[in-house]
Amino acid sequence: MIIKTRFPPSPTGYLHIGSLRTALYNYLFAKKYGGIFLLRIEDTDRERYVEGAVESLIQTLDRVGLICDEGPVLVNGVLSEKGDYGPYTQSNRLDTYQKYAHQLLEQGSAYRCFCSKERLEKLRSDQQLAKLPTKYDRACLRLDSTEVQHRLNNNEPFVIRLLIPEGETTFKDEIRGMITIQNSEIDDQILLKTDGFPTYHLAVVVDDHLMGVTHIIRGEEWISSVPKHVLLYHVLNFPLPSFAHLPLILNPDKSKLSKRQGDVAVEDYLKKGYLPEALINFVALLGFNPSGDREIYTVKELIESFDLTRVNKSGAVFDITKLNWMNKQYIRSLEPKRLMDLAEPFFNEELDFSFEQKERILAVEKERLTTLQDLSQQTSVYSAIPLFEKNLLVWKKADEQDALHHLKNIEQILQDADEKFFMDQLLIEEILKKYIEINHYQNGNVLWPLRVALSGQAQSAGPFELVWVLGKSESIKRIQQAIQKIIS
Ligand code: GLU
């Protein structure tokens, strides 16, 4: 059997962090078993439709590396599809859902309901007042065939409802085990709406079956829908797939992760300079831990170790401190070319650095970045030195004259050095350290004023790194300015 998982988002305009985890777990599971990861667009709720949302969703999935094997894709920015089971967008499959809804009508597993919105609302509020479960009262099930025909002839709008049989429904959840629900608790679900659009329940069951989905892995909020789906599979005579429902993602106060307590859109995290690699690693561990205390995993390692039976049942807390820590680790260890590709858009364009300078700045500054967005403030020092007080040039165990002495000597060393020297950070370090060692100076006496002269800051990258990034003439210029500060 070929394993096929699916990620079927509704295009609402952004990818929720929880949906990213769902997509990722489906991806990991499919890849682990050499299976297929399918993407489907569930856009039957026209009120929630957002223009351009499908394109942006696919782009976000691409950016984090969750590329589907089947489903909608963007080719040069234009929406198209790959795979043999399309169309993969539900609004293009309406006739299929209608066919199945009518089949269910004919076989007596579903019925037409002509009740108006007003009647249903009144029924609901009466039931709520009487503290009864809110359910359709099956008024239309009691209509005889002549009455139904009469209403059809009058073109009265109707929905098609699933007739829930008596008894109970049992299914197995791969994470939670066996679950049994009394059918009396299940409402006669609307399958097809008056406008001919299916509800989520009909569309999802029909599509998952026709598209050959073997494993349905999704958020816990859908678990209450499964009994209806199981009954639908049964009356449609479709074999049941496996189900697995993932725990909720929680805010630190244990409430459900929501916009109110921070960002929930993956796009926002990317915009802020979180790396796709870090986001994927972080999200993978929201509910699953491959082993012990280890936190950093490549996607390949996640695929190898992914195991549905080891997904937690209880909610996973979204801890931004951990994400920040993880992002730092990835910024430090990512292959330089990939890091540069990701970081380039975050350099402040006005500062007009050359590509080579950007490479050096990134190499030097990456140790201090939490997100790539920090680059824009942290790098302004390389284009212009900030104003600073001359006292800052004086190391705590020294005085102005001492600082002046060393700045003058180093200026001379740099003046005498040829351009090649400035290409090699280690050489810069070696020569400046030699100056310290030969003369038996303390590091602080020399390196503190030099670093401040170059950066104008109490805290910054080290002096050798600064010389390397700034180059010969800018380094000398800044040292001369510092000397002027002291003597004037
Ligand atoms: N379209 C649903 C959503 O937006 C999919 C639910 C499911 O996976 O069955 O999340």
Side-chain angles (χ1 to χ4, degrees), residues 400-410 435 441 486:
E400 266 183 27
Q401 287 315 308
D402 184 61
L404 185 63
H405 169 77
H406 294 302
L407 288 173
K408 282 183 168 168
N409 286 342
I410 291 172
Y435 164 73
Y441 296 134
I486 298 177

Side-chain angles (χ1 to χ4, degrees), residues 211-344:
M211 294 179 183
V213 171
T214 58
H215 290 74
I216 293 177
I217 305 168
R218 62 187 160 199
E220 185 183 279
E221 63 273 28
W222 300 103
I223 202 162
S224 58
S225 300
V226 182
K228 287 175 191 168
H229 298 180
V230 169
L231 291 168
L232 261 175
Y233 275 96
H234 182 69
V235 289
L236 288 167
N237 207 13
F238 295 161
L240 270 190
S242 296
F243 295 101
H245 289 84
L246 308 173
L248 289 178
I249 301 183
L250 307 172
N251 291 308
D253 68 2
K254 301 283 159 79
S255 58
K256 190 174 165 187
L257 186 69
S258 68
K259 259 192 208 165
R260 247 169 294 132
Q261 295 196 27
D263 289 320
V264 292
V266 174
E267 292 81 355
D268 288 341
Y269 286 95
L270 293 172
K271 236 181 262 161
K272 284 189 176 169
Y274 288 93
L275 308 190
E277 286 83 347
L279 274 175
I280 287 289
N281 190 154
F282 173 74
V283 160
L285 303 190
L286 290 174
F288 170 69
N289 203 329
S291 66
D293 291 339
R294 194 177 145 197
E295 305 272 16
I296 303 289
Y297 295 93
T298 62
V299 172
K300 191 166 168 276
E301 289 168 329
L302 290 170
I303 291 172
E304 279 159 13
S305 56
F306 191 71
D307 183 350
L308 269 181
T309 62
R310 292 187 42 217
V311 171
N312 298 338
K313 289 190 192 60
S314 53
V317 173
F318 184 98
D319 176 2
I320 188 79
T321 327
K322 183 166 164 188
L323 173 59
N324 286 340
W325 171 82
M326 209 172 255
N327 207 49
K328 260 174 179 284
Q329 306 304 310
Y330 273 91
I331 289 178
R332 284 174 190 197
S333 61
L334 208 64
E335 191 259 313
K337 169 146 186 349
R338 166 85 177 140
L339 184 62
M340 187 61 188
D341 285 348
L342 294 169
E344 235 196 321

Side-chain angles (χ1 to χ4, degrees), residues 6 8-10 42 200 204 218 222:
R6 63 4 163 225
S10 301
E42 301 207 332
Y200 155 71
V204 82
R218 62 187 160 199
W222 300 103

